[in-house]
Amino acid sequence: MQPSKILIVDDYKELRDLYAEFLENAGFIVVKAKNYDGAVEQIDSSIDIALLDVKLEGHSGLDVLAYLRKHRPACPVIMMSGFADKKSTIEALRQGAVEYLEKPINPHELVHSIKHWLDYHATKQENHRLQDFQAMHRRLQENEQQIRMANERLNFLLTSTSAVIYASDISDHYATTFISDNIKRLCGYEAEAFTSSADFRLGCVHPDDVEHVKNSLKKGLERGSNRFEYRFQHKDGHYVWVGDEIRIDKNQHGTLEFLGFLSDITEHKHSEEKIREMAYTDLLTGLPNRSLYYDRLKQAIAQSHRNHTNMAVLFMDLDYFKPINDELGHEWGDIALIEVARRLQNCIRETDTVARLGGDEFSIILDNIESEESACMFAEKVIHLIQEPMILKNSQYVLGVSIGINLNSHEYRDVETIMRLADDAMYQAKELGRNRYCIYRDKESGVFSEINAELKLEKALRQAISNDELLIYYQPKVELKNGLITGTHALLRWNNAETGIILPDQFLPLANKTGLIVQIGEWVLRQACTQNRKWKEMGLPIVPVSVNVTAEQLRHADFSKLVAQTLRDNHLDADMLQLEISESDLMQHASAVLISLNELDAMGVKITIDNFGAGFFSLQSLKSMPVHELKMNRSLIHQIGQGGDSAQIANAIISMGHILNHQVVAEGVETEDQLQFLRKHDSDGILGFLSSPPVPANTIAEQLKNMKSMLKLLD
């Protein structure tokens, strides 16, 4: 069957295109015009229904309506307007418009109205055809020849129409007295099956729809006509949706009967379901959208208060999602969102609801939870699931999620307030470092004072970056046998105008929480390599420079490209750079950073595990990592010579490192006893105040220029 053709006339292009998109998705052919002239050009016999805006530039929509009434009087016209204009409404209906819709128009309501008037128009045409037949039948009774001709035409009418025509009495059984042969095309049964049994037609109605059908027939008897929809069983067992248009008439004996027209509307029903799904479902992830979520939240709130149970709302915003869109493009960003939706869907109960509210924002309704602790445990579970690495474009990415929790409160019962409070709590989680959850508290809870202090420090740190307040000191790494410098370690400092030099342990934890560590880390990398190039240009015997990196930096897909470009920009070989990642960071994020580590290793950049010995990094894990150097934990070195098992642990680390062909160095070396121990057990090098504290770049230049033993006083 040819799809119906719809004319849309609206001078707002965005609305015109939006209506067209929904109607095309519903299976219609759509033509568009922005004014009277454009509409007149489109109007011909192929237009089945018109959708006109009242307010147009130049001629109004009423002028288009008048043109249609003159040239296509049978074409149904629906008027629409953004103004509650009663005068225009009355005039449009007076001129023959079938309906008036006020903007903004719900897509489902628009599609439903159009289908209704198309069905009504088709039914009206069928009625005219049937009336023609009845008049013909009365005339043909007077003449046998006319009767023969009428029968031939009747047969043509009944077989050519798609609608099934039937007649039934008005008894409680609504027995079928006549039904056209094309009923077999609709449901597989012959016409005789309906006329031979009084209950057969109602017996084909879906059990859940029988009462609805009987009530609709009774209303039709009272009103003189009615239209209703229900499910009708096919002979093979499946159900089709039918539209039933009935009216009361008298048969040839003067007895009242129903004349009905059955049409298959299954395809229309499926289209309506698709439109309904579009209206309430997030098309990317398949999760409920904001509209459906808010409806379910209203129900959950009412049920919670009615049953005196607890509920919680979790408002979630993804962390570290923007780099995926920026680096890989929105297509891969969409894939990441689909994966996040899958993980969230898998961690909720049947009674809970998870929805995508838009962008990278999600929300969950936890229905009937036991306590605040239960909500917190669930939030921790979500954070853990979201943190699991995902492969995007052959690279590993790790997302985080900040969660705001609002527990059920008798004080607030409206959806908007509850969501706003959950949103406030989510921003608290962001401000406290991201990838965590916060429960909404009022100001008296004390959480705001902590937030304000961190916000003040974060603001100052951001200004430090833009005001060039950061600087780098360098600490030489010294080879133990001859005391010569074999490398330098870049150490960040903050030269604050108010407080002076600030050490990194006072501001780097906040930089990690806020994501500033990526920007700061890139600055340190570039500055350290630029300084090494300057030493080279000065003719100094340069040595590798070590730079600390975090898992946050390494899990970015383009980090190795950044390193390669930085080396090229400064004309440095890869062996002139060494990157250090802490043992704890590596233990926690090993799978997320392994790809970057392998890329750096293939490039020729050396990798050091910093602060080694503070955790419990397994030998098996160490063997699988592209590591070149172990830097022993400072506190472990400090305890050498003070009893305990620190000396044995240090010796074991040195031995293990050498077995794996790793260099082993010690940091924080301050005493001669520590030095002698490390020499005795063949440590490869040291950093510490015993050889040199961290110093400015010009001091390192002097040390490189002299190339003397940094340990000569202790030889």
Side-chain angles (χ1 to χ4, degrees), residues 324-446:
I324 293 178
N325 267 344
D326 293 346
E327 296 169 14
L328 305 183
H330 289 282
E331 179 183 355
W332 286 97
D334 287 349
I335 292 173
L337 291 173
I338 292 170
E339 173 61 17
V340 168
R342 184 192 67 79
R343 295 181 186 184
L344 293 176
Q345 187 71 52
N346 288 341
C347 74
I348 64 171
R349 303 165 299 177
E350 290 185 3
T351 56
D352 302 329
T353 297
V354 57
R356 180 182 177 221
L357 304 184
D360 59 350
E361 292 180 344
F362 296 82
S363 192
I364 291 177
I365 304 169
L366 294 180
D367 187 38
N368 193 19
I369 61 169
E370 296 179 359
S371 62
E372 178 179 307
E373 289 75 17
S374 298
C376 294
M377 290 175 62
F378 181 83
E380 290 174 354
K381 177 182 177 183
V382 169
I383 291 171
H384 175 74
L385 283 174
I386 299 302
Q387 274 189 306
E388 292 180 2
M390 61 177 70
I391 302 298
L392 301 173
K393 208 172 182 179
N394 299 321
S395 296
Q396 273 192 338
Y397 285 82
V398 177
L399 293 174
V401 62
S402 296
I403 303 176
I405 303 174
N406 184 27
L407 296 165
N408 188 28
S409 169
H410 293 285
E411 184 179 356
Y412 305 111
R413 297 194 179 192
D414 62 291
V415 169
E416 289 74 17
T417 301
I418 287 175
M419 290 301 294
R420 179 177 58 78
L421 298 181
D423 187 34
D424 288 347
M426 185 276 292
Y427 275 104
Q428 291 178 19
K430 289 275 190 189
E431 290 162 352
L432 288 173
R434 299 191 296 180
N435 203 33
R436 64 178 64 197
Y437 67 87
C438 274
I439 298 177
Y440 176 78
R441 309 286 191 197
D442 56 27
K443 292 185 179 180
E444 285 71 24
S445 65

Side-chain angles (χ1 to χ4, degrees), residues 518-714:
V518 175
Q519 183 180 355
I520 293 174
E522 181 176 341
W523 182 87
V524 172
L525 174 67
R526 293 187 185 279
Q527 287 294 114
C529 289
T530 299
Q531 184 60 63
N532 222 13
R533 185 199 71 208
K534 290 179 180 177
W535 288 330
K536 180 180 180 181
E537 291 172 348
M538 292 168 62
L540 298 175
I542 66 168
V543 293
V545 61
S546 293
V547 176
N548 290 99
V549 293
T550 65
E552 174 77 7
Q553 295 171 262
L554 287 170
R555 64 184 177 185
H556 280 258
D558 289 337
F559 181 74
S560 57
K561 295 178 183 177
L562 168 67
V563 172
Q565 186 61 49
T566 302
L567 291 171
R568 283 195 297 270
D569 291 344
N570 291 284
H571 307 289
L572 292 177
D573 294 331
D575 60 3
M576 286 294 102
L577 176 64
Q578 200 153 345
L579 298 178
E580 300 191 10
I581 180 170
S582 70
E583 181 186 43
S584 60
D585 223 5
L586 193 57
M587 287 172 64
Q588 187 176 358
H589 303 285
S591 58
V593 303
L594 186 57
I595 292 178
S596 287
L597 291 179
N598 284 329
E599 290 173 347
L600 292 165
D601 178 53
M603 194 187 304
V605 175
K606 299 290 192 294
I607 306 297
T608 294
I609 300 182
D610 189 22
N611 206 26
F612 193 84
F616 300 94
F617 206 78
S618 70
L619 179 61
Q620 187 63 36
S621 298
L622 188 59
K623 288 173 61 179
S624 65
M625 291 287 175
V627 173
H628 308 88
E629 183 178 84
L630 306 178
K631 184 182 285 187
M632 284 189 287
N633 175 253
R634 181 186 303 271
S635 61
L636 189 67
I637 301 302
H638 283 180
Q639 294 173 28
I640 291 175
Q642 299 180 15
D645 55 4
S646 297
Q648 289 88 339
I649 294 174
N651 185 30
I653 291 174
I654 295 171
S655 299
M656 178 181 66
H658 289 166
I659 290 172
L660 297 175
N661 293 320
H662 298 333
Q663 293 284 305
V664 182
V665 300
E667 62 178 336
V669 178
E670 298 179 356
T671 69
E672 185 176 353
D673 288 342
Q674 294 166 0
L675 176 64
Q676 297 306 329
F677 174 87
L678 294 169
R679 277 179 165 168
K680 178 180 178 182
H681 294 90
D682 296 325
S683 176
D684 297 294
I686 66 167
L687 296 93
F689 280 80
L690 188 66
S691 54
S692 172
V695 294
N698 58 349
T699 303
I700 288 288
E702 289 297 321
Q703 294 172 347
L704 290 172
K705 181 178 180 180
N706 295 331
M707 257 318 200
K708 296 179 180 179
S709 173
M710 304 293 291
L711 301 173
K712 60 184 179 179
L713 298 177
L714 300 174

Side-chain angles (χ1 to χ4, degrees), residues 457-526:
L457 180 59
E458 180 185 348
K459 181 180 179 181
L461 183 54
R462 290 184 186 276
Q463 291 175 342
I465 298 172
S466 60
N467 295 341
D468 202 24
E469 296 177 11
L470 300 179
L471 55 89
I472 298 177
Y473 277 30
Y474 297 87
Q475 187 170 32
K477 178 170 66 175
V478 176
E479 197 270 338
L480 286 182
K481 292 181 180 179
N482 51 32
L484 297 179
I485 298 175
T486 58
T488 61
H489 186 195
L491 296 168
L492 183 63
R493 300 289 186 266
W494 177 3
N495 188 14
N496 185 273
E498 296 181 3
T499 60
I501 298 295
I502 301 176
L503 297 179
D505 58 355
Q506 296 176 263
F507 63 88
L508 284 187
L510 178 63
N512 267 309
K513 286 183 180 181
T514 58
L516 287 172
I517 192 65
V518 175
Q519 183 180 355
I520 293 174
E522 181 176 341
W523 182 87
V524 172
L525 174 67
R526 293 187 185 279

